[in-house]
Amino acid sequence: MQPEYIIIHQQVAPYVAHIQLNRPKELNALNLGLMTEIKEALKVLDADESVRVIIISGNEKAFAAGADIKQMAGRTAMDMYTIDQFSTWDTIKKTKKPLIAAVSGFALGGGCELAMLCDMIVASETARFGQPEIKLGVMPGAGGTQRLTRAVGKAMAMEMVLTGRFITAVEALQAGLINRIVPVELFLQEAIKLAEEIAAQSPLAVKMAKEAVLKAFDSSLEEGLHFERKNFYLLFASEDQKEGMQAFIEKRTPVFKGK
Ligand code: HXC
């Protein structure tokens, strides 16, 4: 079935897929349908051997202006508990392949949280990041108090979460929230370039390296180092390891097959 709220571009470059949020009139507000479609698309793309890296973007004006306030406004606590919309986010988090957020314009509330759920963020000069939930009488609910704090530190996270102030792309870069800033007309192109660079590596090594970096966020140093070492050793079971090291010795470019 065709998705209603997103567009899936299968091969925007070799091994690179692109999910575009497509509710432009609502600034890509994340309603339940849209989040479910992202979850389903990621499940399919994560299992697809012709895809190694996935980009998520909105449009020039908005990555996403947050959860759909109109859909949420009348809900009771029991509705929220029963619908449990954040369980979708747990599934998205399990994506093994690298996710790159290409952000232009607003990345607010759930939009900022979705970008932070990705592994890297490429931003346009017009990107604005914020957690304005406090102005709605609530607070971030999908990682805004945790991932943002880990990314930008306590001082800036507190200010953003308690005042709802948006930060610019330059502030976000300085704080370590994003990877790079490019002119608005290039933000998707730049994300594709980054994705291609990663897609040229061994997809097995990439997945295990991603898993190990993420482990740093929820484990002790000792546990994380142990996990890293285990993945490193495990990669010696792959043909890609033989190919990568042999290619270095033969002074040629390796061809990785994901085996
Ligand atoms: C529903 C939204 C929306 C949202 C914008 N729209 N954001 N609808 N949910 N989060 C709609 C507007 O109602 C409007 O529709 C249309 O999109 C264009 O928005 P405008 O406000 O007219 O645009 P502009 O003046 O340019 O202002 C842009 C904006 C503002 C600063 C981004 O729209 C805004 O403050 N949006 C809400 C941001 C926010 O609070 N996000 C956090 C949501 S809570 P109509 O039909 O009126 O023209 C959240 C919880 C996270 O994310 C939980 C995890 C999922």
Side-chain angles (χ1 to χ4, degrees):
M1 211 173 68
Q2 280 297 335
E4 185 180 350
Y5 303 113
I6 61 173
I7 302 171
I8 303 166
H9 307 276
Q10 190 70 25
Q11 295 277 326
V12 284
Y15 297 113
V16 180
H18 172 205
I19 298 174
Q20 186 181 4
L21 313 190
N22 190 33
R23 294 187 77 203
K25 277 201 218 105
E26 295 84 4
L27 305 182
N28 293 325
L30 306 168
N31 63 8
L32 286 176
L34 189 151
M35 289 310 298
T36 304
E37 287 181 4
I38 294 181
K39 177 184 83 170
E40 294 304 327
L42 285 175
K43 258 206 264 180
V44 172
L45 295 172
D46 211 28
D48 181 341
E49 280 190 13
S50 72
V51 173
R52 294 182 180 178
V53 183
I54 303 157
I55 296 169
I56 301 180
S57 84
N59 51 47
E60 282 188 9
K61 172 133 200 238
F63 177 73
D68 191 321
I69 299 168
K70 292 166 193 164
Q71 192 177 55
M72 263 184 325
R75 292 228 170 99
T76 65
M78 284 308 112
D79 292 336
M80 295 303 280
Y81 179 77
T82 309
I83 295 166
D84 192 15
Q85 67 192 74
F86 298 141
S87 59
T88 315
W89 294 65
D90 295 338
T91 315
I92 296 174
K93 197 178 75 178
K94 290 193 186 123
T95 308
K96 288 202 158 82
K97 293 172 185 172
L99 299 176
I100 299 175
V103 176
S104 185
F106 299 111
L108 306 175
C112 187
E113 290 167 318
L114 179 61
M116 291 191 293
L117 196 58
C118 294
D119 303 303
M120 280 159 283
I121 302 176
V122 171
S124 88
E125 291 160 336
T126 64
R128 294 289 176 275
F129 299 86
Q131 298 290 161
E133 291 91 338
I134 203 78
K135 295 183 174 173
L136 301 169
V138 287
M139 58 177 278
T145 64
Q146 302 302 304
R147 289 199 181 91
L148 183 68
T149 307
R150 281 168 168 77
V152 306
K154 179 183 165 192
M156 186 177 261
M158 274 293 184
E159 187 177 333
M160 288 173 70
V161 170
L162 300 188
T163 68
R165 178 171 86 81
F166 303 165
I167 59 168
T168 63
V170 172
E171 285 178 288
L173 186 67
Q174 281 165 354
L177 181 63
I178 63 175
N179 292 73
R180 59 191 72 164
I181 306 173
V182 292
V184 66
E185 64 277 11
L186 293 180
F187 81 100
L188 190 55
Q189 224 170 298
E190 185 67 19
I192 293 173
K193 221 164 84 185
L194 178 60
E196 279 185 289
E197 210 178 308
I198 298 164
Q201 315 305 326
S202 161
L204 291 171
V206 165
K207 279 189 214 166
M208 285 199 198
K210 163 174 167 163
E211 200 182 16
V213 172
L214 289 177
K215 194 79 184 166
F217 290 96
D218 59 9
S219 67
S220 66
L221 178 60
E222 223 22 68
E223 205 186 320
L225 288 170
H226 181 72
F227 187 85
E228 176 191 74
R229 188 178 307 170
K230 186 189 61 110
N231 276 8
F232 181 79
Y233 291 159
L234 193 56
L235 284 168
F236 281 71
S238 71
E239 288 176 23
D240 281 352
Q241 173 268 326
K242 303 285 174 286
E243 166 65 8
M245 294 195 177
Q246 198 56 37
F248 174 81
I249 293 164
E250 293 170 10
K251 299 187 187 302
R252 62 175 174 81
T253 308
V255 181
F256 293 119
K257 296 191 178 133
K259 290 183 183 160

